Structure formats: C-alpha cells, structure tokens
Amino acid sequence: MENVFVHPQALCESSNVGEGTRIWAFAHILPGARIGKNCNICDGVFVENDVVIGDNVTIKCGVQVWDGITVEDNVFIGPNATLTNDMYPKSRNADWKLLRTVLRTGCSIGANATILPGIEIGEGAMIGAGAVVTKSVPSFAVVVGNPARIVGTKVPAQGE
C-alpha cells in the first residue's frame, strides 16, 4: 500500500487501499474491504469485509460500513450515520438475509442519518441530518425527516 497513511492507533487489515487514502485513529478495516484512492476514513470507523468504497470518499467519525454496502466515488458520510444490512436483526438468526445497499456517486449522508438495508441513494442526493431513509432516494433529491421525504432537488454542479 504505497502512499497510504494509517494512523498508528488504527487497524487496517486490508491490503486493497488506494493511494492517498488516510485512515485515522481507532478505525478498523477488515481484510476483505476494498477502499479507493484519496479517501478520508476518520476516527472510530469500522469497515467490514464485503464492502467496496470508491475514490475520494469521506467517512466521518463513528460510522460502521457493514457487509453488502457499496459506496461509489465522491460520497460524503457524516458523523455517526448508520448504515444497515439486515431488515430483521436478531442474534444468531439462521434465516438472516444480507440486503445490499448502494450509495451512488456524489451523494451526501448527513450526521446521524439512518439508512435501512436494501436501499439505493441516488447520484448527488442529499440526506439530511437525522433522517431515517426507508426507501430508495432518486438522484439529486434532498430528503429529510423520519421517515425521510423529498423536500427538494439539488441542482447538479458542473461536472456532477
């Protein structure tokens, strides 16, 4: 892993981390995770094995990225946002089904937002702080509330 910064108090078990990525204290990256170039993985982030993170992604403090989650390029995930992969979580559930979640290019997830499993957040969408997202969000939509509802659209910047 050339030109990757891993804080001495972080645990990065993956050898598939892109150039220019920074992994800060108390982050834990499992061996199967794939992380792109120029990412910023902040303090206390946990990334499971069956995870793909694109280039130029920022994941703020206190976020867990579970198996089955794909984060495309240029995504921002705010502090303590919650991503999920199991609609009916139980301890030692033999009927457990992994539900895949995709965060499309350039979307932003606000602090403390909750994203239920099996959802797609569209390209450039904005999820408000504290929103509870219970269904997929279209590209460039702005959603807030519990359950999250569309309150507007974000006009894409040139190049988005």
Side-chain angles (χ1 to χ4, degrees):
M1 292 189 318
E2 225 174 282
N3 297 320
V4 172
F5 171 78
V6 178
H7 189 281
Q9 304 306 319
L11 178 56
C12 182
E13 299 178 87
S14 176
S15 59
N16 198 346
V17 177
E19 182 177 331
T21 289
R22 298 175 315 262
I23 300 171
W24 295 97
F26 313 113
H28 186 176
I29 314 299
L30 293 185
R34 292 181 287 161
I35 299 175
K37 298 176 184 174
N38 301 313
C39 293
N40 189 26
I41 310 297
C42 294
D43 290 13
V45 169
F46 177 74
V47 179
E48 224 168 7
N49 283 298
D50 182 12
V51 169
V52 176
I53 296 172
D55 297 337
N56 307 307
V57 170
T58 296
I59 303 177
K60 299 306 274 183
C61 301
V63 173
Q64 295 85 42
V65 186
W66 305 109
D67 284 340
I69 296 174
T70 298
V71 180
E72 293 184 346
D73 297 343
N74 304 306
V75 169
F76 174 85
I77 303 175
N80 300 303
T82 299
L83 305 170
T84 60
N85 66 1
D86 186 353
M87 187 63 84
Y88 303 102
K90 293 181 180 176
S91 178
R92 301 176 188 257
N93 182 2
D95 297 326
W96 182 69
K97 277 180 117 171
L98 174 73
L99 295 175
R100 298 198 171 270
T101 299
V102 179
L103 307 182
R104 295 285 178 206
T105 299
C107 72
S108 293
I109 311 299
N112 293 305
T114 299
I115 311 299
L116 292 187
I119 286 179
E120 180 175 317
I121 306 299
E123 177 182 354
M126 299 283 292
I127 309 303
V132 178
V133 182
T134 60
K135 59 186 178 183
S136 292
V137 174
S139 294
F140 303 105
V142 177
V143 302
V144 299
N146 179 5
R149 65 195 182 291
I150 297 173
V151 295
T153 56
K154 175 185 169 274
V155 178
Q158 195 168 27
E160 273 189 291

